[in-house]
Amino acid sequence: MDLSVALYIVPTPIGNLGDISSRAIEVLNQVALIACEDTRHSGKLLSHFGIETRKTALHDHNERDRAQWIIQKLSAGEAVALISDAGTPLISDPGYHLVSQVREAGFDVIPLPGPCAAITALSASGLPSDRFSFEGFLPAKEKGRLDKLNELSEDPRTLIFYESPHRIVHSLESIVTALGAERQVVMAREVTKTFETFLCGTAAEVLTRVKSDANQQKGEIVLMCHGYRSDVEDEIPAVAMNTLKLLSEELPLKKAAAIAAQIHGLKKNALYKQGLDLGL
């Protein structure tokens, strides 16, 4: 295969080395330079496949400056590949500024298909996949995390997040608070690796299982949430409606809805509307 002078976006395995494509290996062998998120990390992968192409580091801290140097290489007639530590570059990884500047400089950017943790996990989640929103990592601080989740609370698309093991419990707690304890959640851990695990259930159920099993707080995590459903019957479980009915016998409906929402981790407006529809 004769390569054009271009920037090649090359996905690498997210765990199982067998997932790399023959085309990816061929491109990495033939380009003049491979831009890596971490040259030491990628060096192990490249060595495994006998790829001896020159490497250079391209990460969040040097990407803007490094982009111009890579454009000089392209101008000299050298093809360049971009890889990240794992999966498809630019998906919660560096590369946006490089690709943008390379295109502005008039060079082609050629993507190769390949592994992506978000898409791989979604395909096996059992959640709706016709419409989804990839949101990357949730904010590290609780307020920022809750603000973000509240923004997404009525988004009808399946929501996909990446999460680190030391924050997974906090993120699940925030999901229970902002999206509701009954929101359907799937947590995919170590996808394609030896200890691959999928936990499925309500946000409250998945949180309980993760808290009780330290092994679920390790490794690479993709967290997926069912989108908001406007169908009130689907959103409000029978136990919550029973609580609302009991409280409304002693309290104004608005107050009863607020208390029932707090008890069950649901939205008070949805409970209030349902109460009005039922004539409570």
Side-chain angles (χ1 to χ4, degrees):
M1 177 175 71
D2 293 326
L3 295 184
S4 304
V5 176
L7 174 66
Y8 291 82
I9 310 301
V10 182
T12 55
I14 56 178
N16 190 319
L17 294 179
D19 291 335
I20 196 167
S21 70
S22 59
R23 184 184 174 199
I25 293 173
E26 194 169 5
V27 167
L28 293 174
N29 267 313
Q30 292 195 26
V31 293
L33 179 70
I34 301 173
C36 311
E37 185 178 359
D38 184 328
T39 54
R40 290 171 298 179
H41 180 92
S42 295
K44 298 174 183 177
L45 173 74
L46 298 175
S47 177
H48 177 83
F49 290 104
I51 298 167
E52 299 179 351
T53 305
R54 180 186 174 193
K55 303 184 295 295
T56 188
L58 185 135
H59 45 70
D60 288 331
H61 304 294
N62 74 348
E63 181 181 352
R64 293 175 187 267
D65 295 333
R66 206 64 173 162
Q68 289 304 310
W69 182 77
I70 288 173
I71 289 170
Q72 290 175 14
K73 297 297 179 184
L74 293 168
S75 299
E78 298 182 359
V80 179
L82 172 67
I83 64 175
S84 60
D85 286 348
T88 300
L90 281 83
I91 310 301
S92 274
D93 284 326
Y96 161 72
H97 297 291
L98 172 63
V99 169
S100 179
Q101 290 185 47
V102 166
R103 285 202 174 278
E104 286 178 8
F107 292 99
D108 290 335
V109 178
I110 301 176
L112 276 64
C116 175
I119 300 302
T120 304
L122 176 64
S123 70
S125 69
L127 296 175
S129 56
D130 54 334
R131 296 182 67 212
F132 59 89
S133 177
F134 175 66
E135 297 293 331
F137 286 88
L138 283 166
K141 294 185 178 179
E142 183 180 16
K143 183 182 185 304
R145 196 163 53 241
L146 288 172
D147 287 346
K148 182 64 175 178
L149 288 167
N150 282 325
E151 283 178 22
L152 298 168
S153 62
E154 295 189 3
D155 192 321
R157 299 169 295 180
T158 295
L159 303 175
I160 306 175
F161 306 96
Y162 285 163
E163 195 48 271
S164 60
H166 67 277
R167 288 208 306 260
I168 184 59
V169 170
H170 299 307
S171 288
L172 285 168
E173 289 173 341
S174 294
I175 286 170
V176 168
T177 300
L179 304 186
E182 298 298 317
R183 183 71 69 103
Q184 288 296 304
V185 166
V186 177
M187 189 184 99
R189 188 178 66 87
E190 295 289 83
V191 175
T192 79
K193 300 177 185 177
T194 303
F195 298 104
E196 175 181 285
T197 307
F198 280 78
L199 297 182
C200 310
T202 66
E205 289 169 345
V206 172
L207 173 61
T208 298
R209 291 171 70 181
V210 171
K211 278 185 170 180
S212 64
D213 184 355
N215 287 326
Q216 299 305 321
Q217 300 173 41
K218 299 177 181 178
E220 304 291 331
I221 296 168
V222 181
L223 196 54
M224 296 162 284
C225 304
H226 198 295
Y228 174 76
R229 289 176 291 183
S230 59
D231 186 335
V232 176
E233 290 184 359
D234 286 342
E235 280 292 306
I236 303 177
V239 64
M241 286 308 304
N242 187 52
T243 300
L244 179 64
K245 290 174 184 177
L246 290 172
L247 290 171
S248 65
E249 292 176 2
E250 304 293 334
L251 298 168
L253 179 58
K254 199 166 189 178
K255 181 68 173 177
I259 295 173
Q262 188 173 11
I263 292 171
H264 296 285
L266 300 171
K267 291 189 171 298
K268 63 181 178 182
N269 288 343
L271 283 163
Y272 180 67
K273 180 179 182 302
Q274 183 70 346
L276 290 175
D277 291 344
L278 294 175
L280 297 180

